[in-house]
Structures are given as C-alpha cells and as structure tokens.
C-alpha cells in the first residue's frame, strides 16, 4: 500500500525562498494574476451580477513550492466494513484562500478503494468555517454546497489509484446582498469539510488493513495524509445472533486474504489466539472478494449456554461464545485481548438458547411424556412447565438443571389439553421461555352407522378416554346441542373401563341440529375432562311425487327420504303429508311413518277443488323437539319439506273439425271436475248445451253428441264450460252446398312440405270467438306447450318461415316470402287460408 511523507512546513518555506532567489537571479518573473472564469464562477449565482466585477483578477496565489495544507487532516469512512459502500468525510485546513471557480481540492485514494468512473456532483458536499470575497462573509461560515465540477482519474505507476478533483464552487447560496463583490471563496486557515455520500457508489477496500489517503489543493504540490491512518476492519458476520443446539449457523468472514483458508473458532478468552482448548468451528477458502463463508451446526461444546459464563470486556473475558477468524496470512479480527472492542463482542458473540424436547412427540391425554432440557443456565429451577397453556402438574416438586444446564423429567399429559399441535413451554428465571411442540390426539369414537337420520339408534364405541375404571361419560352433544340422558344408553350411565374404553347406544334426537342436511360434530366428554369427537352425516331430506302432473281427484304417490326413523324400540315420528291446492282448492292430508332408514311412501289425492290448470304444493311436516329434553317436549317449530305438483288444463276433442250447419259432432271432455254437470256448450256465440245437461264421471270426463247450429261459415270455436272450467277447440263451418268440405288435417300432414324443407318456424291461429291464440312452434322445446294440433279447410293461419319459399299445401301453391332478410327488420310472417 502506498505511503506519502508530508514535507515539514519550515523546510517547505526555506525551499520556496531558495527557489525564489534563484528565479530572481535568472530574471524569472512569476505571474501574479488569476483571471476568473465568468462561466464557472457564475454557476449557481442569482440576482443581478456585475460581470465586470466578476472578471476582475483575484489575489495572487502563493508559489507552488509552499506547503499550504496544515493543521489537522482527517479521513473517516462510515461504515468501514470491508467492501461496503460508504460515505467518506475529509477535513483539512488550507493556509491560503481557495478561489471559487478556479482552485481545486484533490483527494488521492489508495488503489484498493473502489470508485466509479464518474461521480455525481450532487452526491458530494463542501463546507468551510470561513469564507472570503465580501466583507459581510469574511468571518462567517459557508453554506454546505456541491462542488462546481468533479473528475475521477486513475494515477500512480500502475494507473490504479483513484484521484478525485473538486472545483471550489461559490461557497454561499443566494448571496444577493453582496453579489457585486463576486463569488465567495474558502477563507485562509478555514476548516474545510468534504463529504462524499454513500449513494455516490464508492466502496471500501475488500481486504482489511491500513490504507493511504492524501489531500492537496491546486495551490500546492505537496500531499498531506491524515494524522491517523485509515483502516478497514476485518469482521465476522453470523446468520443469527442466537439459536438452539443443532441449528445451522452461517459464518461470513469479511476482509480476509483471498485464496487462503479462513478458520473460524470460539475465541473463549478473546485474546486472538487459538488456544489448545479452544475448538475450531469450520473453515473455508476466501474468495477473490476477500470473503469466506462456512456453515456450522451449533453444539455444546464448544459453545456454553447463553453467551457464556464470562463475557464482560471490562474484566477480561474468559468463557465467552465470541467467534474469531484467522486467514492463511495470520490476519485476525483481533490479534490480542487488548485489541478486542465492545463492538466486536456485540457483533460476534453467539447466544446459545436453551432447547426443549418431548419424547414421544405425539401422545394422548393421560400418556406419560419424557421432557429433556438442554443448554439452560446451570443449577436453576425450571419455574414454568406447560403444555398447550395447561400446567404440567404430575412432575417432581422441584425441577432443577444440573451443572451443565440440563435436566430430564416425566409428566402426564393433562386431560384438558386440547387436541392438535400444542406448544410445550419451559422457563427459568434466567433463561427466558423455551419451546417445542407436541401433537396431542383426541379420544377416538366409532359410530355405526355414520350416516344417520333423526330418531335413529346408533352404536358408539369410545377409546382413549380417561382410564382407571372410575370415569363415566358425562355429556354427548350433536351439532352443539346436548343430548338428553334418556336417549343415551337407554338412560343408563356409561362407565369407562380401566383402559379408557366404553360402548353404548344413542338415539339421535329430533331437533334443529339434526333436521338439516350436512355434517354435524358428535362430541363425547367424560368426567375426567377428556373429549372425543367424530362427524355424523345427515343426508338430504326430500319428497318425490309420482306422477309429477295429474288431474283433479286423481291419486299422487309421495315418497319420502331422510325423515325421522322408527328406532329399535318401535318409537316413531309421525310425518303429515299435505296436498295444498290453495284457499279455493282446499287441502287433502295423509299421515306416514318412516321405516328404520327414514323412508316412507304414502298416497294423497289431488283435491277436486284444485284449479284447472294449476301448480300446487305437496309438503311433508313433522314436529321438532327441544334439545336436551325428554321425548314428549316439542319445540315451537316444525320441519317442512315441499315439492310442487301440476294439474293440467282441461281438453275438448271432437270427432270432426269441419262441417255445414246441422252436422252431428261427437264431443269428448277430459280433465274436468268429476261428477259435475256441463254448464254451457257454445258454438261461436250460440248455446248448444244438450238437455238434460250431461255430467262428468268419476275421472272428470264426459262424452256426448250435439249439432252444429246455423252460424257463419269459417272457423268457429266450440267452448265447453264444466263447473267454471273451460276448454275449447276450433271448428270450420262450411256452406250447405258442400264447397269446402271442412276436412280437418293434422298439422304435421297439413304443413308437411314446410316441415320436410325445415322452413317452418311457427304457425299461429287466432280464435275470434275466444280471443285466444293457438300455436305450433317448430322446436322440440315447445312440444309440450303447442296446442295447434289440427288445421281445417278454410281456416286462416299465420305462418312464419325461415326463408322465402314456394310451397304446395293441400293442392294449392303459396308463395311465402321474407322482407329485409338477414337484417334486424326481417319479417317472414305470411297469412293464408288453408285450402
């Protein structure tokens, strides 16, 4: 590393006088003016500058051979960690003023410093305790300002030593009052502080040791070093400051000689010497960046519990967990006890925390567990002993660590420790709390069957409960509801045997918790405080009706699933099945009893008063009982399960759909109210009800004949009203000459060419008497809704096609067209009279 020697001030002056004398003899005349650069000096100035004043020469510099940097020169790097980015603070005292915009400050660093090729001037600041250039600032301190310019050069014999040159700026900011006097310069004998910020990107040498640094100015050639040599500390960093035995600890040595082996050891007395009884931890070869890294599994020895027994720097440590390192050139963090500092101890002392183990690591309440404590303080009482927050009471009265800080003891898992992963906590007055974890199992329950319905009897086998033969089952809950003792084991007490096992039966209560589909927790608690849980599955409760559609007064079969079962004692819950046709239609009710699996089947009749057509409700209802009560205590609510049932519309069929007045027509009525006389039968507006009025039979049907009256030709409506329910059908009336024979054709045949060509979208017929539309939509989804089943000769129908087409229907050709095809305004409707 490069070292420079400062020339003493007295000798420098003598040399300077000699040079001046020689120069005088040979007639040399020194230039004593310095032209200020307007461009440079004016940077950063504000206000109305007097450029004439700025251009005037400044005071002459002292001859270059004179030593100008005197007083205290310092250099501080923060931090001084090897290879880290740092901020550098330099102070020095020039003997002459340093002119703003002209003079420079030169910082010369050792080759091991790492500098970027350029430095941002805003990351560097300069301040001076004295400025010159205007009377009001002669004795005042400067502002903290950035250098006017910054350059970085590499010099030396190998061109590898960074030299930073800073041009002195105007040392004040906003000097509007004295701007005419020119820029403010660094005063004579001032203390100048230059700071390179950490963000500038400069880095310390990667290897520890002492390094040269010099400062000079443009007013001299002599470089002056700080009074104290700058050094980079070698350090050891740890991945963790503390931890238990067995934990991997990564050690990193910074600042050690590259390509040599670095050995880490516990330097118990901190003297920097690897004593015979001090154990090496691990070693590694330092990289090109002077860094060595290795991993050590913490053990005891060499570490002692906590930080050791003697780690007080003031008294000279003797048994501390202090980690030192040495490389192949015998470089160490500290090479002697005297060189050890508190910062080194704070950074490189490992705190060995106590550890707790439990064997086995899994158990049930009542099991005996061995607990082992290691690396606790020696000969101390363990005052805290808990598992899952519950105190371990079945342990020796006093648990005290031995001289090595270890102790083993056994304890029984308390009954009230919750199941799952629980924390084991041990602590003494000097150790702090140390933890491990255990998995605590719950008592086991086996329920048969696991899928249940209310009122069903199930078998339960329990194991892992409080042993000893004196405990009993105290409570059983389902979904949080307590089961009454009368439903548990036929009311008898369940005694747990010496091994913690028992068996019993339970009747599932019919309550709110058991009447909803889904899983429910079954929890059993015994008198010893031990719990066991399992899950019961309650299936979906539903009712199914067959058929889903039926006429009034017909029977519907109702099948129920998941309802309260008949248990082994023959006890059952009555299920009421109701067909509800509304206020006007009335209700019909039937009762059912489910079997042992919760299933039933019952028949209920569609009320005769149900509207035709209509959609009605079928519901199955049973009482819910109060939780934790005897069988006879019902709650204020019922469980209700519903499904819908449809009553179809009434239908009128005739044996012919056209004919002249006087034609005899046979009518068949289907789906009307049973045993009800015909109210009216009309053709168009003419009442043709037979006398006496025919009546429907037990199935709501009727069949009779009537004559077509003298009405206008064309389509007329035959309308039948039975007890307020109506149904109708179209009839084409022809003239008496026989023109238009009124032949009725099924729509599939009448419009067959349109069906075959797949050009029929839909067909509509408007009944002018009933003011209702009948339709046939050519889509399978409407197959059950279409009611235009036949087409008669002379019947006007609207036909919508998918595209323009020419078609022959019943011997007559029709052109069915679309307008504005393919646009939102497309219209493909056509009105024809079927021939």
């Amino acid at each position: 590393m490069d070292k420079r020697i400062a020339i003493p001030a007295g000798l420098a002056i003598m040399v300077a006088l000699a040079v001046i004398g020689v120069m005088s003899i040979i007639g040399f005349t020194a230039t004593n003016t310095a032209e200020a650069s307007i461009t440079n000096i004016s940077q950063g100035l504000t206000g109305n500058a007097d450029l004439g004043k700025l251009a005037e020469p400044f005071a002459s510099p002292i001859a270059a051979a004179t030593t100008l940097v005197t007083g205290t020169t310092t250099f501080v790097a923060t931090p001084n960690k090897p290879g880290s980015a740092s901020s550098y603070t330099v102070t020095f005292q020039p003997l002459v003023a340093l002119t703003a915009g002209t003079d420079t400050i030169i910082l010369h660093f050792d080759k091991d410093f790492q500098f970027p090729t350029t430095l941002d001037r805003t990351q560097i600041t300069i301040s001076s305790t004295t400025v010159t250039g205007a009377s009001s600032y002669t004795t005042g301190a400067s502002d903290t300002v950035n250098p006017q310019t910054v350059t970085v050069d590499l010099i030396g014999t190998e061109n590898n030593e960074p030299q930073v040159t800073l041009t002195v700026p105007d040392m004040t900011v906003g000097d509007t009052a004295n701007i005419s006097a020119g820029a403010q310069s660094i005063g004579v004998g001032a203390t100048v502080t230059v700071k390179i910020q950490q963000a500038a990107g400069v880095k310390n040498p990667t290897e520890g040791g002492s390094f040269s640094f010099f400062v000079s100015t443009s007013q001299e050639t002599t470089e002056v070093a700080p009074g104290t040599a700058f050094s980079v500390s070698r350090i050891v960093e740890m991945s963790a400051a503390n931890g238990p035995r067995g934990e991997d600890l990564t050690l990193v040595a910074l600042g050690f000689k590259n390509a040599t082996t670095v050995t880490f050891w516990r330097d118990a007395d901190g003297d920097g010497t690897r004593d015979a009884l001090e154990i090496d931890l691990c070693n590694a070869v330092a990289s090109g960046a002077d860094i060595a890294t290795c991993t050590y599994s913490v053990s005891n020895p060499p570490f002692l519990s906590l930080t050791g027994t003697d780690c007080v720097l003031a008294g000279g440590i003797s048994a501390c967990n202090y980690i030192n390192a040495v490389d192949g050139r015998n470089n160490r963090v500290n090479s002697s006890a005297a060189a050890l500092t508190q910062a080194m101890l704070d950074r490189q002392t490992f705190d060995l925390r106590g550890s707790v183990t439990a064997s086995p690591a899994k158990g049930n309440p009542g099991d005996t567990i061995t607990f082992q404590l290691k690396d606790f303080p020696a000969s101390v009482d363990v005052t805290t002993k808990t598992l899952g927050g519950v105190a371990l009471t079945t342990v020796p009265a006093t648990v005290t660590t031995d001289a090595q800080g270890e102790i083993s003891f056994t304890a029984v898992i308390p009954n009230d420790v919750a199941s799952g992963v629980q924390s084991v906590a041990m602590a003494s007055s000097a150790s702090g709390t140390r933890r491990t974890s255990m998995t605590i199992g719950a008592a086991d329950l086996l329920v048969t069957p696991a899928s249940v319905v209310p009122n069903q009897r199930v078998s339960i086998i329990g194991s892992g409960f409080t042993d000893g033969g004196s405990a009993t089952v105290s409570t059983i809950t389902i979904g949080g509801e307590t089961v009454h003792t009368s439903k548990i084991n036929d009311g008898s007490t369940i005694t747990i045997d010496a091994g913690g096992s028992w068996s019993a039966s339970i009747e599932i209560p019919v309550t709110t918790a058991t009447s909803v589909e889904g899983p429910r927790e079954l929890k059993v608690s015994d008198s010893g405080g031990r719990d066991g849980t399992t899950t019961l599955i309650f299936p979906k409760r539903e009712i199914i009706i067959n058929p889903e559609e039926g006429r009034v007064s017909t029977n519907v079969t109702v099948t129920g699933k998941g309802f309260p079962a008949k248990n082994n004692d023959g006890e059952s819950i009555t299920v009421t099945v109701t067909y509800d046709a509304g206020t006007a239609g009335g209700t019909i009710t039937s009762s059912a009893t489910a079997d042992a699996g919760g299933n039933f089947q019952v028949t209920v009749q569609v009320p005769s008063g149900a509207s035709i057509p209509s959609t009605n409700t079928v519901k199955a209802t049973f009482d819910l009982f109060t939780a934790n009560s005897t069988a006879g205590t019902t709650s204020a609510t019922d469980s209700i399960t519903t499904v819908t049932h449809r009553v179809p519309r009434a239908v009128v069929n005739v044996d012919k759909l056209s004919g002249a007045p006087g034609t005899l027509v046979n009518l068949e009525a289907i789906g009307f109210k049973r045993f009800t006389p015909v109210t009216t039968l009309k053709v168009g507006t003419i009442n043709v009800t037979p006398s006496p009025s025919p009546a429907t039979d037990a199935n709501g049907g009727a069949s009779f004949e009537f004559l077509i009256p003298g009405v206008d030709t064309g389509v007329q409506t035959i309308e039948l009203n039975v007890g307020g329910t109506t149904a109708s059908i179209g009839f084409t009336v022809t003239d008496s000459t026989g023109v238009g024979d009124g032949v009725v054709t099924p729509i599939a045949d009448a419009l067959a060419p349109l069906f075959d060509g797949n050009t029929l979208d839909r067909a509509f017929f408007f009944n002018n008497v009933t003011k209702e539309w009948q339709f046939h939509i050519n889509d399978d989804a409407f197959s059950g809704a279409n009611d235009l089943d036949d087409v008669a000769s002379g019947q006007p129908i609207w036909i919508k096609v998918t595209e323009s087409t020419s078609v022959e229907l019943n011997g007559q050709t029709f052109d069915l067209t679309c307008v504005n095809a393919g646009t939102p305004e497309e219209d493909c409707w056509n009105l024809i009279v079927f021939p």
Side-chain angles (χ1 to χ4, degrees):
M1 290 171 285
D2 187 22
K3 296 290 185 179
R4 302 295 177 91
I5 301 176
I7 300 175
L11 179 59
I13 295 173
M14 293 175 64
V15 172
L17 292 175
V19 171
I20 293 172
V22 172
M23 293 171 63
S24 300
I25 293 173
I26 61 174
F28 180 84
T29 302
T31 302
N32 58 359
T33 59
E35 186 72 13
S37 169
I38 295 177
T39 302
N40 291 339
I41 294 176
S42 62
Q43 289 184 7
L45 297 181
T46 58
N48 299 317
D50 187 339
L51 299 183
K53 290 288 185 180
L54 291 176
E56 290 179 0
F58 285 88
S60 301
I62 297 177
T66 302
T67 301
L68 300 178
V69 179
T70 63
T72 302
T73 299
T74 64
F75 175 74
V76 177
T78 306
N80 72 341
K81 178 179 175 181
S84 70
S86 293
S87 66
Y88 297 154
T89 303
V90 179
T91 63
F92 68 97
Q93 294 173 313
L95 284 182
V96 296
L98 298 179
T99 304
T102 300
D103 283 325
T104 58
I105 299 170
I106 304 161
L107 309 177
H108 185 180
F109 294 85
D110 189 279
K111 64 182 179 61
D112 291 308
F113 286 86
Q114 304 170 65
F115 270 77
T117 56
T118 59
L119 289 175
D120 183 353
R121 57 181 291 273
T122 63
Q123 297 297 326
I124 303 174
T125 60
I126 304 174
S127 62
S128 174
T129 57
T130 306
V131 296
T132 184
S135 58
S136 60
Y137 285 94
T138 300
T139 58
S142 75
D143 295 323
T144 298
V145 293
N146 304 118
Q148 186 168 294
T149 62
V150 179
T151 60
V152 178
D153 298 302
L154 296 177
I155 64 172
T157 57
E158 298 181 6
N159 291 325
N160 58 359
E161 299 172 13
Q163 178 177 280
V164 179
T165 303
L166 312 174
T167 302
V168 176
D170 181 0
M171 298 305 294
T172 61
V173 177
D175 182 17
T176 55
N178 296 282
I179 192 67
S180 60
Q184 308 303 308
S185 300
I186 295 174
V188 176
T191 297
V192 179
T193 301
V194 177
K195 185 171 184 178
I196 303 177
Q197 303 291 342
Q198 189 173 20
V202 296
K203 294 183 179 180
N204 294 333
T206 59
E207 184 179 346
S210 296
F211 299 89
S212 60
F213 166 80
F214 305 93
V215 61
S216 64
T217 71
S218 57
Q219 293 279 11
E220 63 180 330
T221 59
T222 302
E223 292 184 319
V224 178
T228 302
F230 169 70
S231 63
V232 174
S233 300
R234 296 179 182 88
I235 65 174
V236 171
E237 293 184 333
M238 303 181 298
S239 58
N242 57 70
R245 187 185 304 194
E247 182 175 278
D248 284 342
L249 181 66
T250 300
L251 302 175
V252 181
L254 303 175
F256 289 78
K257 184 59 181 176
N258 62 80
T260 68
T261 297
V262 177
T263 300
F264 300 83
W265 86 99
R266 175 178 173 255
D267 191 357
D269 56 7
D271 65 355
T273 302
R274 293 162 64 191
D275 300 323
L277 297 180
E278 292 179 344
I279 300 174
D280 292 346
L281 305 179
C282 57
N283 57 66
V285 176
S287 68
D290 303 315
I291 299 173
T293 302
C294 70
T295 300
Y296 167 70
S297 180
V298 176
S299 63
N300 178 358
F303 288 124
L304 301 179
S305 64
L306 303 178
T307 59
T309 59
D310 180 10
C311 212
V312 180
L313 182 61
I317 68 173
S318 61
C320 185
N321 291 340
Y322 171 63
I323 300 174
N324 208 333
V326 58
D327 64 17
R329 289 193 179 179
N330 207 29
N331 296 312
R332 302 153 192 260
V333 176
N334 65 294
S335 57
S336 66
L340 183 63
T341 65
Q342 190 62 49
M344 296 175 188
L345 274 178
D346 293 343
R347 181 178 60 236
Q348 295 167 210
T349 298
F350 183 76
D351 183 1
L352 176 59
R353 297 293 176 90
S355 62
V356 179
T357 58
S359 181
K362 182 177 182 180
N364 296 319
D367 291 349
T368 298
I369 305 297
T370 298
F371 297 96
Q372 185 176 22
L373 281 59
K374 295 180 180 180
D375 303 319
F376 274 64
S379 305
V380 296
D381 291 340
V382 180
T383 54
T384 299
K385 303 174 287 292
T386 62
L387 172 56
V390 179
L392 296 172
T393 56
T394 54
V395 296
T398 302
V399 176
T400 304
T401 62
D402 60 18
Q404 284 71 45
E406 299 186 4
I407 184 66
S408 293
F409 62 91
T410 60
V412 175
I413 300 176
N415 283 332
D416 47 354
V417 175
S419 61
V421 178
Q422 300 295 333
S423 173
V424 177
M426 304 285 176
S428 70
S429 58
S431 68
T433 301
R434 302 293 176 250
R435 300 180 184 274
T436 187
S437 61
M438 283 190 63
T439 301
I440 308 300
D444 293 326
L445 294 174
L446 177 63
V447 180
T448 306
S451 180
V452 298
V453 294
N455 207 48
Q456 187 173 14
R457 174 171 288 189
V458 298
S459 173
I460 306 178
I461 298 176
S463 61
F465 283 78
T466 301
D467 53 14
S470 61
T472 60
V473 171
S474 55
T475 59
I476 298 179
T477 62
I478 299 177
E481 294 180 346
T482 301
V483 179
H484 193 267
T485 55
S486 64
K487 295 185 175 296
I488 302 172
N489 208 33
D490 291 325
S492 301
T493 300
I494 302 174
T495 301
I496 302 169
D497 64 23
S501 299
W502 56 271
S503 63
S505 63
I506 180 175
E507 291 166 6
I508 306 298
V510 185
T511 63
T512 302
T514 64
S515 64
V516 181
E517 171 193 6
R520 295 291 181 277
E521 180 189 66
L522 170 66
K523 181 178 181 180
V524 179
S525 302
D526 67 18
S527 57
R530 199 167 303 173
D531 299 330
T533 61
T534 189
T535 300
L536 298 177
I537 303 298
F538 289 85
K540 179 182 180 180
R541 185 167 52 254
E542 59 180 337
I543 54 176
I544 302 169
I545 57 174
N546 186 35
E548 295 179 356
E549 181 177 280
R551 301 188 182 281
V552 295
S553 302
T554 60
N555 290 332
V556 176
T557 299
V558 181
T559 301
K561 297 181 179 180
F563 283 78
K566 178 187 288 186
N567 61 32
N568 294 20
D569 294 333
E571 296 176 351
S572 59
I573 303 296
T574 299
V575 179
T576 301
V577 179
T578 303
Y579 191 112
D580 187 352
T583 303
T587 58
I588 292 181
T589 299
S590 181
S591 296
T593 300
D595 59 20
N599 305 312
F600 71 83
Q601 190 173 86
V602 70
T603 299
V604 65
Q605 191 178 74
V606 180
S608 60
S611 300
I612 305 173
S614 61
T615 298
N616 305 302
T617 301
V618 178
K619 57 184 178 180
T621 307
F622 61 88
D623 291 331
L624 295 178
F625 294 84
T626 303
N628 196 20
S629 68
T630 58
T633 307
T634 60
S635 66
T637 58
D638 294 333
S639 174
I640 302 175
T641 306
T642 63
V643 70
T644 58
H645 181 264
R646 296 187 300 275
V647 175
R649 60 190 176 92
V651 176
V652 171
N653 292 321
V654 291
D655 63 342
K656 54 179 70 70
L657 293 177
S658 65
T663 300
L664 182 65
V665 177
N666 190 347
L667 180 145
E668 180 184 22
I670 302 172
F672 289 84
K673 297 178 181 179
R674 62 178 187 160
F675 304 123
T676 303
V678 172
T679 303
T680 58
L681 174 64
K682 293 181 180 180
V683 177
T685 58
I686 300 176
N687 191 334
V688 293
T689 306
S691 183
S693 295
T696 57
D697 56 21
N699 296 320
S703 180
F704 54 88
E705 296 179 332
F706 69 95
L707 293 174
I708 296 298
V711 293
D712 295 337
T713 58
V715 178
Q716 299 290 342
T717 298
I718 299 174
E719 180 184 81
L720 177 66
N721 184 314
V722 179
T725 301
T726 62
S728 62
I729 190 171
F731 186 89
T732 301
V733 179
T734 61
D735 58 28
S736 57
T737 62
V739 177
D741 57 9
V743 175
V744 176
T745 307
I747 191 167
D749 297 328
L751 305 181
L754 294 175
F755 282 108
D756 293 342
N758 200 30
T759 53
L760 176 67
D761 182 85
R762 61 197 63 193
F764 274 71
F765 165 65
F766 183 73
N767 189 319
N768 196 44
V769 176
T770 64
K771 305 302 181 183
E772 293 179 350
W773 286 94
Q774 291 175 272
F775 61 86
H776 183 99
I777 298 176
N778 189 21
D779 188 328
D780 291 341
F782 290 89
S783 59
N786 289 332
D787 56 2
L788 181 59
D789 301 321
D790 303 287
V791 178
S793 298
Q795 181 175 338
I797 56 175
W798 284 92
I799 296 176
K800 183 181 181 183
V801 292
T802 58
E803 60 184 11
S804 298
T805 184
S806 181
V807 63
E808 183 177 307
L809 301 177
N810 206 19
Q812 182 175 334
T813 300
F814 293 91
D815 290 326
L816 306 177
T817 61
C818 290
V819 296
N820 301 320
T823 69
E825 291 76 27
E826 180 181 77
D827 187 352
C828 296
W829 285 101
N830 297 267
L831 177 62
I832 69 168
V833 176
F834 190 75

